[in-house]
Amino acid sequence: MQTIAFQGIHGANSENAIYEYFETEDINTHPVSELDSLFEVIHRKEVDFALVPVENALAGAVNGTYELLMDYDLRIQAEVIHHVHHALMALPGTRIEDLDCVRSHPQALAQCERFLQRNNIKPVNWYDTAGAAKDLASEKVTNIGALATTRAAKIYGLEVLAAGVEDVSFNYTRFFLLGHTDPERAEAN
């Protein structure tokens, strides 16, 4: 079974893009915390492939990726375009009205700014979207929410209060699938 590394933790948009590209969830995903480490694990062949973010339609180029592409002799296997969606989540039983603030990556917060303002929810910068969900689940705080993927809500036992809360619908992230050999794709039925 193939193993594909991505930056973030389980439930990240990068992981969703992997499942979407390979058209199956019957693959191993390998979370890596830093972009540099992502390039290292594929370079050392600890994983079969790595999915790296290249640019976002709203935030622009991921300059760190381009710099690292120059430092490593890796083959770009494929381009993956992933439609990014954000969901507001909280502990089960929490209502939107109960939330004082919501945590997420600064980019996600900026992409949902009007929604948060309409609902009088204060944005709080967090290191990662899925990380905000994971941390909220472990802290068990009822007046705080998280913006992340619906997959993150499922993984960490949170309840989705509202899905598709991004202010604009054209939020896409472009990724490169890096590796040393050609990837296997799921057989179409």
Side-chain angles (χ1 to χ4, degrees), residues 56-69:
N56 177 268
L58 301 175
V62 181
N63 294 328
T65 297
Y66 286 109
E67 291 170 11
L68 288 164
L69 282 168

Side-chain angles (χ1 to χ4, degrees), residues 39-174:
F39 275 81
E40 273 299 309
V41 296
I42 184 61
H43 176 72
R44 292 193 308 256
K45 298 183 180 179
E46 294 174 16
V47 296
D48 300 301
F49 302 98
L51 191 74
V52 298
V54 177
E55 65 183 328
N56 177 268
L58 301 175
V62 181
N63 294 328
T65 297
Y66 286 109
E67 291 170 11
L68 288 164
L69 282 168
M70 300 299 292
D71 294 339
Y72 290 89
D73 184 25
L74 296 168
R75 184 171 168 196
I76 296 173
Q77 308 285 320
E79 175 185 63
V80 178
I81 308 291
H82 178 67
H83 195 173
V84 176
H85 296 288
H86 300 294
L88 176 65
M89 59 199 65
L91 293 174
T94 304
R95 300 172 305 143
I96 290 178
E97 302 81 32
D98 299 331
L99 299 178
D100 294 325
C101 63
V102 64
R103 299 171 177 164
S104 195
H105 187 276
Q107 284 293 332
L109 293 169
Q111 293 165 8
C112 302
E113 183 177 21
R114 289 193 309 252
F115 172 83
L116 297 176
Q117 288 173 347
R118 277 193 312 274
N119 288 284
N120 199 31
I121 302 171
K122 178 184 171 193
V124 176
N125 289 342
W126 217 248
Y127 65 96
D128 183 64
T129 56
K134 181 180 180 183
D135 293 350
L136 177 61
S138 67
E139 293 173 8
K140 309 251 186 260
V141 183
T142 58
N143 66 328
I144 299 174
L147 284 174
T149 65
T150 55
R151 178 186 296 282
K154 183 178 179 182
I155 291 170
Y156 302 113
L158 298 174
E159 185 176 315
V160 174
L161 305 180
V165 299
E166 56 274 3
D167 295 333
V168 293
S169 61
F170 57 88
N171 188 7
Y172 292 86
T173 298
R174 181 173 163 232

